[in-house]
Amino acid sequence: MPGVLKTEGDDLEGLVLSQASGGKSANMAGGINGSHDHDPQQHNNRPLVNGIPNVPTNQQGYGEVTVPEPSQAVLSAMGDLIGQLPPEIEHITFGYLSFSALITRLVQETFNGLTDCINDMSELQVPQMNGASAADTSQINVRKRLRLLNFLQERRAQFIKILVLSQWSRQAQSISRVIDMRIWLDGKRRLYDDACNWMGELKRILELERKPNPDLRTALEALSLGKSPRLPDLGYLPPDRLSPQRLLRTIRGINTQLSLRLNLHETLPPAFRNFSVANGRVTFRVQDEFQVDLSIANDDLSSQMYFIDFRFDFEPTPPELPPGQLRSGIENKVNELLSRDGLGGCYRFLHDFVLSHKLNVLRHQAYRMSQAKWSEHLNVEAVHRSLVVQYWIGRPGGKNWIEIGIRRRNVGNASCFHEEEDEPHIGLRWFRAGKEVSDVPVTVNLRELSVEDMLKQIVAAHADSIFRETLARLKEHSLYSKNVLRLKHFRSRLVPASHLFIQLTASQSCSIMQEPITGNFGLLPPSSLHSRGEQELNGLGAPEKGAASRIAQLRAIASCDEVERTVRCYGWEVVRSLRPSLEVLRQHFGPDTARASFFRKRAWNARWLLAFTASLMGDYWWIVELNEQSSKSDPLTASGMSIRDAFKLPTDSSLAAASVEVSLADLTQIEYSAAGLISQFTDTRELSAQCIPHKFVRAVPGRSRPDLPTLYVHFTRNRAQKFQKDSDAVKVPWSSQNIRASFMGVDASKSTAHHLILAQRNSAALRSRRLNVMVGDFIKVHPTSPAFAFPLNNPIGQSTVPAILERLARIQRLMDYVRTLQAFGLDPQNLSLDHFEFAYSTQPQVCRAEIFFTGLKEFPQLFLNRGNPHLRIKDHLMSLFRKPNGLKRIIWFLQLSLPLMQAFAAIEATNTKNTAVVLPRSAEWYQIYYRDPAGRLDVRLRKRRDELKWFVQHSGLPAKRGQDQQLHDQLDSLLTGKGEGWNGVHQGIAASMDGVHAVVEKIDEIFSQHVAPPPTQTRLAAGPTDRCKKQDLKGQKRKAEDDSDVVVLD
């Protein structure tokens, strides 16, 4: 029963049933609500039809239903309902707007528009003519008027609408009731429609449940006899069989019709332009998608085409669709679209179908991957028509995934495909660490679908981006930006071919790869150090930002370990007990220091250590000074040591040391610089303590070996004596009190520092160009000035100043000796602070003497070369050193006695039978003994008329008889004769230094002429014979000793 609208002033009228309607209603009520009051046994006597009582029918064939009278309870309930109203209809208030708010908004909008209009009109300036405005018909005035007029007309239209709404609002209450009634009626109609839909759906569902009874008799006849009289026969005539010729003509005709229609009349989509006509059908090929066969049924150009076959044109798919519901559904849908939309609709449907199927194939592949070797590292989700694959789910940091779905470039023009770019296609989006990558370097192969290949390409691109960012961060530091160490990124679109090659040190390098499935990093070749690096890299949440710092630490560890292994092989000791913190390291060695190793050498002072620091800015060597308390203990075992100060070595090891393996030459250079700095530091402290002026001057750059600063010291005689330990040391006559000390290296065998000292003397004797050749390498003399330089070795850590002064005294002595040699016209050879050589004769053989001297108080030693004729008087010559100006005496006597010594040597050489023996009594007296014939000669050095002469006298000759008389006569004639450089005197011959050789030879010739055959028995005087035997023994000893290069007769 509908509701009643109630308004003010209306009278409520109850609903009164008329007598006619009351009877009818009562009967209806009794038939419906009062059916439970009649006796159910009243139909028991009636026959049943299909389980229903047989009800008598009327003339129209319908059964007559007798409605019983309503009971008293029903009538009383209906009486109670009379006079009551149904529930009121819901009043709708949603969406209503206040009329006053509408007027306020319109007024505000009108005001704003009027303000804008006035501002626009003010900007239009009217041109002035002769001080007055232009005529009203000017263009500017017309534009102003039109602008104002348009605004007024627009506002007028808005206010007219408000007027209409105002008049309509006077009847708003009645219209509101109409709206409520309309909404109520729509709700009731909707309930009615829902009931009808429900009953129809129920009928459709129950239709499937109805099954006819099986006709077993007809089935048995049909299966056994092949026919049945119960089956109807429609009397159709079978068609005639077609001949092959007719079939061929028909197919050719269809091919012709298809070709003409497709080329002249059909509008083909761009993707259907690749087609072929054969066997009465046209085959459209869409690359990497599908192939569809269509044909026609008649010659009408406007008739539709029909579906024949469909095949996928990508892998992995079956070669053709199997018969079944899928094929039937595609065929029906394609035929429907061909009849309605033509080839364009067919293509759109099949294209969309293939894209969906491709996504399904990719989704199944992804699920199989997540259950196979990619399990626990891959997460696959299907969202609408997209496939989301998350990889590396076990790595820390942001999520990484790819989305594979259908992408449309031009959504607004998706219904017509005039360009291939407008067509939907399979697309891919890549999200790295939760952020989308705009440029995805992945090629989607639509011919052979493989989500694993796509994922491998994405993983390779991800690893490539990490390595590229790491490479850029490492290139910011000197070692890799200046190509000191090799750093190369091998890029590849496949995994795991892409890797980063890093040279850690000169001999160590590693390759960083990223495992494609887990995303973990791996370092090759395997080692304990690389295993530690892998753990640190795999713990990074953002490896593209933090990998560079981990690699820097790894390189520092590798560099320090390599240096430690190398230095131990060369005798250096690694100090493990000194372990400063990273803050202390960076405080002393620089802010970029990543790691440091400490070393020492046993010969060095315990207070000094060597340090090697490694960082990406370069590898450096330092000398480290420990605190006084730390230096008192052994650095190898002591604990609690601390660094007092550190000094960087002036070497090229910052960058070059990282590019080459540390060798013995490198360690030698490092030891060179370290020892130099330590020595100069020690000298500086001692000179400062003694208040001696000094300074350092930087070396000139550009040399292959870095030089340390040069030390300049200004000495005075009093201050120099403070450092001389020996009071009897030679005093150096300074002309200049400045000494320059330059560090030159380290003597590895003695662990001493090698210095080069430059000084000056006040003597001009050193101004000789030939002296540089004579002195050798231990001292260099300037050819035009008294400056000279000499090397000096001193223990590392000790001051070199006392050693410099002692060396200068020794050089002073050597230079005195050299000056003495030069005074005699001799050139020294093989000069050194310990010895020198000089040759005083070259004809007929080289006669060379070598002088050795060590301490300042020790006497020099004389050595003569083999075959030197002065070997017979070496002991007598050595005694001359004990006298003042000993070297001068020796050289003078060597030159004086050389012809005589050569004559003695010639006599001994010609007398092979040892008939003549020379016996030196002293340096000035010699005796010659002859055995056959017997005789003796004395050779003495005497002064005659202020000139030194050699006097030769004979003594001990045999009696004058027989052949001996002839010997006497020849000697007497020689003693009274005269020759070049000699002159016979009474009882002898006086010969000069050059003439004594001829005299001795002539005497020897005289004795040689009178040698008799060996007698059977020969008796000589006892004295001379015994002396000759003793001289023979000495001669044999001398001959045995002459077999060595240097003969020392002691």
Side-chain angles (χ1 to χ4, degrees):
M1 182 177 182
V4 179
L5 295 179
K6 195 166 73 169
T7 58
E8 296 181 358
D10 293 339
D11 296 331
L12 180 62
E13 296 178 359
L15 295 179
V16 180
L17 297 176
S18 62
Q19 294 294 333
S21 62
K24 187 177 181 179
S25 298
N27 292 334
M28 292 177 63
I32 298 176
N33 298 326
S35 59
H36 58 280
D37 292 334
H38 70 277
D39 186 4
Q41 299 297 329
Q42 60 182 343
H43 300 294
N44 291 342
N45 297 328
R46 298 176 184 176
L48 300 175
V49 179
N50 293 332
I52 301 175
N54 189 6
V55 181
T57 59
N58 54 13
Q59 295 179 357
Q60 287 80 12
Y62 297 100
E64 294 182 356
V65 179
T66 303
V67 180
E69 294 293 334
S71 62
Q72 187 64 28
V74 173
L75 293 177
S76 62
M78 293 180 62
D80 295 335
L81 293 174
I82 295 175
Q84 294 184 1
L85 295 177
E88 291 188 1
I89 298 176
E90 181 182 2
H91 181 60
I92 304 301
T93 58
F94 177 76
Y96 280 30
L97 185 64
S98 174
F99 185 69
S100 60
L102 184 61
I103 294 176
T104 303
R105 292 180 183 179
L106 180 60
V107 171
Q108 184 65 35
E109 184 180 357
T110 302
F111 176 78
N112 295 337
L114 181 60
T115 303
D116 294 338
C117 179
I118 294 174
N119 292 334
D120 295 341
M121 292 172 62
S122 63
E123 293 177 357
L124 300 176
Q125 299 294 335
V126 179
Q128 301 291 331
M129 298 179 60
N130 297 327
S133 300
D136 294 339
T137 59
S138 63
Q139 188 67 23
I140 301 299
N141 286 331
V142 172
R143 291 175 57 185
K144 287 184 176 182
R145 293 171 183 173
L146 288 177
R147 176 72 173 85
L148 182 58
L149 182 60
N150 292 334
F151 172 73
L152 294 177
Q153 288 180 350
E154 181 185 358
R155 294 295 92 191
R156 180 176 179 275
Q158 296 296 331
F159 277 99
I160 290 175
K161 294 179 182 180
I162 291 296
L163 179 60
V164 174
L165 291 177
S166 175
Q167 295 177 355
W168 176 82
S169 62
R170 295 185 178 90
Q171 302 176 358
Q173 186 175 6
S174 301
I175 295 175
S176 176
R177 294 174 182 174
V178 174
I179 293 173
D180 296 342
M181 180 62 70
R182 175 61 186 270
I183 292 176
W184 181 84
L185 290 176
D186 291 342
K188 295 301 180 180
R189 188 181 294 110
R190 187 165 52 254
L191 293 176
Y192 175 77
D193 293 339
D194 292 343
C196 294
N197 293 334
W198 176 80
M199 288 188 293
E201 183 67 19
L202 181 62
K203 181 179 180 181
R204 188 184 67 80
I205 295 174
L206 294 178
E207 187 68 22
L208 300 176
E209 302 297 331
R210 295 181 58 186
K211 295 182 179 179
N213 296 328
D215 189 358
L216 299 179
R217 182 177 179 182
T218 303
L220 183 61
E221 292 177 354
L223 293 175
S224 59
L225 301 177
K227 61 180 181 178
S228 176
R230 298 177 180 275
L231 297 176
D233 186 7
L234 303 178
Y236 292 136
L237 298 177
D240 298 335
R241 295 179 60 86
L242 295 177
S243 62
Q245 293 79 9
R246 186 175 179 182
L247 286 175
L248 183 59
R249 288 195 302 271
T250 303
I251 291 175
R252 288 178 177 176
I254 294 174
N255 291 342
T256 303
Q257 292 292 331
L258 287 173
S259 299
L260 293 174
R261 180 171 178 176
L262 294 175
N263 289 306
L264 300 178
H265 302 283
E266 289 287 345
T267 301
L268 300 179
F272 272 9
R273 292 171 184 173
N274 181 18
F275 65 90
S276 62
V277 178
N279 300 326
R281 66 181 67 181
V282 56
T283 302
F284 294 100
R285 293 180 177 87
V286 180
Q287 185 179 4
D288 299 338
E289 291 191 12
F290 62 90
Q291 297 180 11
V292 61
D293 297 339
L294 304 178
S295 186
I296 56 177
N298 50 48
D299 299 339
D300 188 4
L301 297 177
S302 62
S303 63
Q304 76 168 75
M305 291 186 175
Y306 292 93
F307 176 87
I308 301 299
D309 197 4
F310 176 83
R311 295 174 298 279
F312 291 108
D313 195 24
F314 61 90
E315 297 293 339
T317 52
E320 59 182 11
L321 290 178
Q325 185 177 1
L326 177 61
R327 182 182 179 88
S328 300
I330 293 176
E331 181 177 359
N332 295 334
K333 185 64 176 179
V334 170
N335 289 332
E336 178 185 353
L337 293 174
L338 287 173
S339 63
R340 187 177 68 236
D341 300 330
L343 293 177
C346 174
Y347 167 72
R348 286 190 293 272
F349 169 73
L350 294 179
H351 177 67
D352 189 69
F353 169 72
V354 170
L355 293 182
S356 300
H357 183 63
K358 285 184 175 181
L359 290 177
N360 290 331
V361 171
L362 294 174
R363 183 171 64 252
H364 290 303
Q365 291 180 356
Y367 280 124
R368 287 196 298 269
M369 287 175 57
S370 63
Q371 298 172 358
K373 63 180 181 180
W374 291 76
S375 62
E376 299 181 359
H377 303 287
L378 209 64
N379 187 15
V380 181
E381 295 182 4
V383 181
H384 302 294
R385 294 185 69 185
S386 299
L387 175 64
V388 179
V389 180
Q390 181 186 354
Y391 61 94
W392 294 352
I393 60 178
R395 278 200 58 83
K399 295 182 179 180
N400 309 289
W401 73 88
I402 59 173
E403 291 184 6
I404 306 175
I406 298 176
R407 177 176 295 180
R408 291 178 174 85
R409 292 191 179 93
N410 191 355
V411 180
N413 195 21
S415 59
C416 61
F417 301 107
H418 299 289
E419 298 293 337
E420 295 185 359
E421 289 78 4
D422 298 337
E423 299 179 3
H425 62 281
I426 298 292
L428 185 142
R429 299 172 65 192
W430 179 22
F431 292 84
R432 186 175 62 203
K435 298 180 180 179
E436 184 177 3
V437 180
S438 58
D439 187 12
V440 182
V442 175
T443 302
V444 180
N445 188 1
L446 300 178
R447 179 70 179 180
E448 297 180 359
L449 297 179
S450 176
V451 70
E452 186 173 5
D453 291 342
M454 298 180 192
L455 191 58
K456 285 183 177 180
Q457 294 184 45
I458 288 294
V459 169
H462 196 163
D464 183 78
S465 65
I466 294 175
F467 294 152
R468 187 169 57 251
E469 182 67 22
T470 304
L471 179 71
R473 292 179 180 270
L474 291 176
K475 282 288 186 180
E476 296 176 356
H477 300 85
S478 301
L479 281 182
Y480 296 107
S481 62
K482 297 181 179 180
N483 297 326
V484 177
L485 296 178
R486 289 185 298 163
L487 180 65
K488 189 173 182 181
H489 179 202
F490 293 90
R491 300 181 179 180
S492 176
R493 300 184 64 181
L494 302 176
V495 290
S498 178
H499 64 280
L500 184 63
F501 174 81
I502 303 175
Q503 183 183 5
L504 301 177
T505 62
S507 61
Q508 296 187 42
S509 60
C510 68
S511 296
I512 302 179
M513 298 183 178
Q514 196 166 18
E515 207 279 325
I517 296 179
T518 62
N520 293 331
F521 291 94
L523 273 69
L524 296 178
S527 65
S528 58
L529 178 63
H530 293 171
S531 176
R532 176 180 176 181
E534 289 179 4
Q535 294 178 359
E536 294 183 357
L537 289 176
N538 292 329
L540 295 174
E544 61 276 1
K545 297 180 181 179
S549 61
R550 298 301 187 275
I551 294 174
Q553 186 69 20
L554 182 67
R555 198 210 75 82
I557 296 174
S559 181
C560 291
D561 291 346
E562 180 177 307
V563 171
E564 290 178 3
R565 290 193 301 268
T566 304
V567 300
R568 279 197 296 263
C569 297
Y570 294 112
W572 291 24
E573 299 171 345
V574 181
V575 181
R576 301 288 187 184
S577 56
L578 183 58
R579 297 178 181 178
S581 61
L582 185 60
E583 291 75 11
V584 175
L585 287 179
R586 293 183 174 178
Q587 177 184 357
H588 290 282
F589 303 112
D592 297 326
T593 303
R595 192 178 178 88
S597 297
F598 300 92
F599 316 98
R600 73 179 295 268
K601 299 199 69 175
R602 282 291 184 183
W604 289 15
N605 192 296
R607 188 164 53 111
W608 296 95
L609 299 178
L610 269 173
F612 174 80
T613 60
S615 66
L616 290 182
M617 299 304 295
D619 295 343
Y620 298 90
W621 286 89
W622 305 70
I623 58 172
V624 178
E625 183 184 10
L626 301 178
N627 290 323
E628 293 293 338
Q629 184 178 1
S630 302
S631 62
K632 294 179 181 179
S633 56
D634 188 2
L636 297 178
T637 58
S639 59
M641 293 188 298
S642 59
I643 299 175
R644 178 180 179 182
D645 206 347
F647 307 93
K648 185 187 296 184
L649 296 182
T651 61
D652 296 335
S653 60
S654 59
L655 295 179
S659 61
V660 295
E661 187 174 359
V662 179
S663 61
L664 179 60
D666 298 328
L667 295 179
T668 303
Q669 177 181 346
I670 294 168
E671 185 178 358
Y672 160 83
S673 301
L677 281 181
I678 294 174
S679 299
Q680 290 183 354
F681 188 78
T682 307
D683 293 341
T684 303
R685 282 188 176 178
E686 187 166 355
L687 291 172
S688 299
Q690 298 295 334
C691 299
I692 297 177
H694 64 279
K695 68 175 181 178
F696 285 98
V697 178
R698 291 289 179 183
V700 179
R703 300 179 59 180
S704 59
R705 188 173 186 179
D707 289 336
L708 297 175
T710 303
L711 175 63
Y712 286 84
V713 183
H714 180 73
F715 278 111
T716 61
R717 186 177 300 274
N718 296 330
R719 291 177 176 176
Q721 291 178 355
K722 296 180 180 179
F723 293 94
Q724 294 181 354
K725 299 179 182 179
D726 190 359
S727 60
D728 297 332
V730 179
K731 302 300 186 293
V732 180
W734 303 96
S735 62
S736 174
Q737 298 174 348
N738 295 327
I739 295 178
R740 188 181 73 180
S742 301
F743 178 78
M744 302 304 295
V746 178
D747 187 355
S749 60
K750 301 179 181 178
S751 297
T752 56
H754 182 65
H755 302 269
L756 181 63
I757 311 302
L758 180 64
Q760 290 184 351
R761 293 181 72 247
N762 58 359
S763 175
L766 299 180
R767 299 181 182 180
S768 175
R769 296 183 180 272
R770 298 180 57 191
L771 189 58
N772 281 327
V773 180
M774 293 185 294
V775 297
D777 296 333
F778 82 99
I779 184 172
K780 292 293 183 180
V781 181
H782 196 273
T784 60
S785 68
F788 64 94
F790 61 89
L792 178 65
N793 292 334
N794 199 57
I796 300 174
Q798 294 184 7
S799 176
T800 60
V801 177
I804 291 174
L805 297 176
E806 190 269 340
R807 180 64 58 84
L808 287 174
R810 296 178 64 184
I811 293 175
Q812 174 69 31
R813 180 181 61 180
L814 179 63
M815 292 299 102
D816 292 340
Y817 290 159
V818 172
R819 185 170 53 186
T820 301
L821 291 174
Q822 290 178 348
F824 284 94
L826 302 178
D827 292 331
Q829 300 174 359
N830 299 329
L831 282 175
S832 69
L833 293 178
D834 298 331
H835 78 288
F836 65 89
E837 298 179 8
F838 62 93
Y840 55 90
S841 176
T842 58
Q843 296 296 333
Q845 64 179 0
V846 177
C847 297
R848 183 181 294 107
E850 187 173 2
I851 307 299
F852 282 86
F853 43 89
T854 54
L856 295 176
K857 290 186 176 183
E858 298 178 3
F859 293 103
Q861 299 290 328
L862 175 64
F863 294 90
L864 302 176
N865 63 322
R866 178 191 295 181
N868 196 311
H870 285 95
L871 283 173
R872 66 184 73 250
I873 62 171
K874 176 180 175 294
D875 294 338
H876 299 293
L877 294 175
M878 286 289 297
S879 62
L880 297 178
F881 272 120
R882 296 177 174 86
K883 300 178 182 180
N885 298 324
L887 180 63
K888 185 177 180 180
R889 291 173 178 270
I890 290 176
I891 297 174
W892 170 79
F893 190 79
L894 287 175
Q895 292 179 347
L896 179 65
S897 61
L898 178 61
L900 179 61
M901 297 299 108
Q902 291 176 348
F904 291 160
I907 291 174
E908 292 179 349
T910 55
N911 292 274
T912 57
K913 297 181 180 180
N914 296 327
T915 58
V917 177
V918 178
L919 181 63
R921 294 295 184 179
S922 66
E924 296 85 8
W925 179 22
Y926 304 92
Q927 290 182 344
I928 304 175
Y929 290 93
Y930 288 94
R931 291 186 298 176
D932 186 18
R936 184 184 69 190
L937 296 176
D938 291 334
V939 182
R940 295 174 182 270
L941 182 65
R942 294 178 180 177
K943 183 179 290 188
R944 183 172 182 268
R945 296 177 183 176
D946 297 333
E947 185 179 359
L948 291 176
K949 296 289 185 177
W950 288 104
F951 282 86
V952 181
Q953 297 176 344
H954 64 85
S955 61
L957 294 176
K960 297 181 180 180
R961 61 177 180 272
Q963 293 181 354
D964 295 335
Q965 181 63 37
Q966 186 180 1
L967 175 64
H968 280 273
D969 295 340
Q970 290 180 356
L971 289 175
D972 291 340
S973 63
L974 183 64
L975 294 175
T976 59
K978 183 178 182 181
E980 183 180 359
W982 61 275
N983 187 14
V985 295
H986 182 68
Q987 296 295 327
I989 299 173
S992 63
M993 181 181 64
D994 297 329
V996 69
H997 186 278
V999 172
V1000 174
E1001 284 185 350
K1002 289 181 179 296
I1003 294 174
D1004 184 67
E1005 289 177 0
I1006 293 172
F1007 276 92
S1008 299
Q1009 292 175 2
H1010 298 280
V1011 175
T1016 57
Q1017 292 182 356
T1018 304
R1019 292 183 60 88
L1020 296 177
T1025 302
D1026 296 336
R1027 289 192 293 268
C1028 290
K1029 291 181 179 179
K1030 295 179 180 179
Q1031 187 67 27
D1032 290 341
L1033 293 175
K1034 291 184 178 181
Q1036 293 177 2
K1037 181 180 180 181
R1038 184 184 305 111
K1039 183 177 180 181
E1041 292 176 348
D1042 287 345
D1043 293 338
S1044 60
D1045 292 338
V1046 179
V1047 178
V1048 180
L1049 296 179
D1050 194 357

